[in-house]
Amino acid sequence: MLAEESGLILPLGDWILQRAIGQMREWQDAGLADQFFTVAVNASAMQMQTGCLVDSIQKLLHDFGLPARCVELELTESLLMSNVSETQNLLQRLKAVGIKLSIDDFGTGYSSLAYLKQFSVDKLKIDKSFVDHFTTDPNDAVIVQATIAMAHSMGLTVIAEGVETQAQANYLRALKCDQIQGYYFSRPLPAAEVSRLIQSGSLLDLPVPEHKQHILLVDDDRNILSALKRLFHRDGYEVLMARSGEEALDLMANHVVKVIIADQRMPNMTGTEFLARVKVMHPRTVRMVLSGYTDLSTVTEAINRGEIYKFHTKPWDDEALRNDVRDAFSHYESLGQALN
């Protein structure tokens, strides 16, 4: 903002482009950058409006002896939506040169989906504000799910910004997000430290997809959890336990949970409220309630909305509960076959 108001944005933008492309040349000369390596640079509105951006990038690529595929320009939604026809022509010229294009902070600007399909972009970057709480907030989760699905249907790559935890990274992987960016992998680094990071071969330690029979027990009573854990270990299930809905959602971001059994009365979030979130965020997971608190109207409404598969009361019948859990796992697998 200050650079634009002071008139320094154009020389500063030119310097950043030169440094970024020059740094790529250095990494290639050092054997650190392969053919898939790209450097991303934010483009300002004033740079886009001068009419010199394409020529400037072409000259820099020529001077440093690099192919255009090494450079990616990050554009904001508000930039794209100003002077749409001129912007579209500029993007087409950049694409013709071979420059990759991405929309930065997607979902926070003034975009129109009707125009989005007209722009020749390669990637959408989901803004950090949607990633911060999407493992526990169903509204953010829906936005992230929809953005990934929409982008993939349009042949676009998706990168999530601001990823800071393993739970966020794992949930994004489950949603088939293509790339992640954020402190979970590394904080911003000077070029020399980036070189050392590349040389070290550091990779994100993401777990391989799990195929275990995970059942998640959610109850604030430790004795109940212990009794249920003993019961379900007899059937060979991998038992996860949580004492609140918030803790349970974190576990679900890190594990493929097939069946949940939740108490109705829990701190901060009731069982039906928790399962309503699960239905949105993990729709395939089979959801059950086990409770001594029988607010039948609340439970009935949840069943009618499809949020609860079965309801059991405390104290429970071991065999009846085990049979319903066995059926729930079968139901999970049948849902998977239907989706395939």
Side-chain angles (χ1 to χ4, degrees):
M1 187 69 176
L2 182 60
E4 291 181 351
E5 292 176 352
S6 65
L8 292 175
I9 189 64
L10 291 178
L12 181 60
D14 290 342
W15 178 82
I16 290 172
L17 273 172
Q18 181 179 12
R19 286 296 301 125
I21 295 174
Q23 184 61 62
M24 173 63 86
R25 177 75 270 171
E26 291 180 26
W27 282 330
Q28 286 205 353
D29 291 343
L32 299 178
D34 60 23
Q35 60 178 325
F36 302 108
F37 202 95
T38 62
V39 59
V41 182
N42 290 95
S44 71
M46 292 184 68
Q47 281 179 290
M48 300 281 285
Q49 293 164 2
T50 61
C52 302
L53 184 60
V54 178
D55 293 336
S56 297
I57 294 176
Q58 282 186 300
K59 184 178 185 305
L60 287 170
L61 290 171
H62 177 269
D63 291 346
F64 286 103
L66 289 174
R69 57 175 167 73
C70 292
V71 179
E72 177 181 308
L73 287 184
E74 296 188 358
L75 317 167
T76 62
E77 291 178 295
S78 55
L79 186 156
L80 289 174
M81 296 311 300
S82 61
N83 300 317
V84 172
S85 59
E86 293 180 14
T87 300
Q88 189 172 6
N89 290 334
L90 176 59
L91 297 189
Q92 288 173 347
R93 290 181 61 202
L94 288 166
K95 288 292 291 181
V97 172
I99 305 296
K100 295 185 179 298
L101 304 170
S102 67
I103 299 180
D104 197 17
D105 303 330
F106 184 76
T108 61
Y110 306 95
S111 68
S112 164
L113 297 182
Y115 284 123
L116 177 59
K117 65 182 181 181
Q118 300 178 31
F119 295 128
S120 303
V121 298
D122 303 284
K123 181 185 296 184
L124 297 184
K125 301 187 72 175
I126 301 174
D127 188 67
K128 180 182 185 298
S129 61
F130 301 117
V131 174
D132 283 341
H133 305 292
F134 86 124
T135 59
T136 56
D137 187 327
N139 293 321
D140 286 341
V142 166
I143 291 172
V144 173
Q145 291 169 5
T147 300
I148 293 172
M150 177 191 68
H152 285 171
S153 70
M154 299 175 69
L156 304 179
T157 298
V158 183
I159 180 169
E161 299 180 287
V163 179
E164 298 184 355
T165 68
Q166 181 176 332
Q168 291 171 341
N170 289 348
Y171 190 29
L172 286 163
R173 178 175 182 169
L175 295 178
K176 303 191 185 318
C177 185
D178 302 291
Q179 300 172 17
I180 66 171
Q181 169 186 323
Y183 289 179
Y184 179 60
F185 179 62
S186 173
R187 291 178 176 270
L189 299 172
E193 292 188 36
V194 172
S195 299
R196 287 193 287 272
L197 183 67
I198 298 171
Q199 287 175 317
S200 71
S202 296
L203 297 173
L204 284 176
D205 187 20
L206 294 176
V208 298
E210 296 178 315
H211 300 287
K212 297 178 180 178
Q213 297 288 80
H214 276 130
I215 182 171
L216 173 59
L217 310 176
V218 190
D219 199 304
D220 60 347
D221 187 323
R222 293 182 185 274
N223 294 326
I224 295 292
L225 290 177
S226 297
L228 290 172
K229 182 178 181 179
R230 288 193 299 271
L231 177 66
F232 293 121
H233 266 167
R234 291 162 52 187
D235 294 317
Y237 303 129
E238 294 286 335
V239 179
L240 302 173
M241 297 186 295
R243 300 190 64 199
S244 68
E246 292 88 346
E247 183 183 346
L249 288 170
D250 279 339
L251 281 172
M252 295 191 72
N254 285 301
H255 301 276
V256 178
V257 174
K258 298 184 178 181
V259 177
I260 294 174
I261 300 179
D263 187 21
Q264 174 62 359
R265 276 190 168 176
M266 294 186 296
N268 303 323
M269 189 188 314
T270 67
T272 48
E273 290 171 342
F274 162 64
L275 294 178
R277 294 193 187 192
V278 173
K279 181 189 177 186
V280 173
M281 301 170 66
H282 306 274
R284 191 177 163 191
T285 301
V286 183
R287 304 167 294 276
M288 301 174 61
V289 168
L290 173 65
S291 182
Y293 173 66
T294 54
D295 178 0
L296 291 181
S297 61
T298 300
V299 173
T300 301
E301 288 172 6
I303 292 173
N304 290 339
R305 290 192 299 266
E307 295 162 1
I308 297 177
Y309 173 72
K310 294 284 185 178
F311 172 69
H312 282 258
T313 58
K314 298 175 181 175
W316 62 87
D317 179 285
D318 281 0
E319 290 309 307
L321 184 58
R322 289 175 65 200
N323 287 336
D324 277 349
V325 166
R326 192 175 300 114
D327 290 343
F329 275 100
S330 298
H331 185 60
Y332 177 93
E333 301 302 335
S334 65
L335 287 173
Q337 294 171 3
L339 291 173
N340 293 330

